[in-house]
Amino acid sequence: MKKIITLFIIIAFSNITQAQTFTWNGNQQILDNQTYNIPITVTGLPAAIDTNFGVAHICLNITHPYLADLHISLVSPSGTTVVLIQDIGGAGDNFYGTCLGMDGTAFTNAIPPYSGIFFPAGDVSSFNNGQNPNGTWQLVIEDIASPDVGNITSA
């Protein structure tokens, strides 16, 4: 009987703690000295995000042979901007299933290609300030140097 009650509690809790995921899938080439805005449309959420319900992780799949060339930010529909990646990885290659969130680890604790959850350059929790999350978010990717190019395939 105790196992049945425990199972019921786990199932009930999992149903009320489901997260929403909004994605972009494509194949955008990242050329030298160019900036790209990847739109991510968010709909159907409550009109305000905060510390109880808000942005937790931003995940990316990017191939690039010189990661330090990339500066990546996320901009909310209301204009809040958080720098996610800046001067990370040196001459290392690729972000495969790389997520950025305040519960991550430092990039210095790993070597490229990066995979897992890492601390962003800025504070992702600053999005959770009561703003309306519905609308078009922009993932801004800037390649700041030559001669290496790459691709983003999902965010």
Side-chain angles (χ1 to χ4, degrees):
M1 183 67 166
K2 189 175 183 179
K3 289 181 183 179
I4 293 172
I5 293 172
T6 303
L7 180 61
F8 176 75
I9 291 170
I10 290 171
I11 291 170
F13 185 70
S14 68
N15 285 335
I16 61 173
T17 61
Q18 292 180 351
Q20 290 81 21
T21 302
F22 299 91
T23 60
W24 172 88
N25 290 298
N27 188 7
Q28 174 63 58
Q29 190 173 24
I30 303 168
L31 300 175
D32 294 328
N33 302 303
Q34 300 291 316
T35 300
Y36 301 92
N37 292 332
I38 304 294
I40 302 169
T41 302
V42 172
T43 61
L45 294 181
I49 52 178
D50 57 28
T51 57
N52 294 316
F53 179 77
V55 177
H57 297 115
I58 298 96
C59 300
L60 311 165
N61 280 301
I62 295 175
T63 57
H64 197 283
Y66 200 90
L67 295 178
D69 285 359
L70 300 178
H71 288 187
I72 302 172
S73 300
L74 184 63
V75 182
S76 74
S78 69
T80 303
T81 301
V82 173
V83 176
L84 303 174
I85 294 172
Q86 185 173 347
D87 303 323
I88 299 296
D93 297 357
N94 307 324
F95 295 108
Y96 293 134
T98 305
C99 297
L100 302 137
M102 301 317 293
D103 60 342
T105 187
F107 277 102
T108 55
N109 292 336
I111 58 170
Y114 294 115
S115 180
I117 302 173
F118 294 90
F119 292 126
D123 185 354
V124 169
S125 66
S126 65
F127 287 122
N128 305 329
N129 61 3
Q131 67 182 295
N132 187 339
N134 297 293
T136 302
W137 293 66
Q138 298 291 328
L139 183 69
V140 180
I141 303 171
E142 181 182 9
D143 186 317
I144 62 164
S146 298
D148 304 302
V149 299
N151 287 301
I152 180 169
T153 56
S154 68

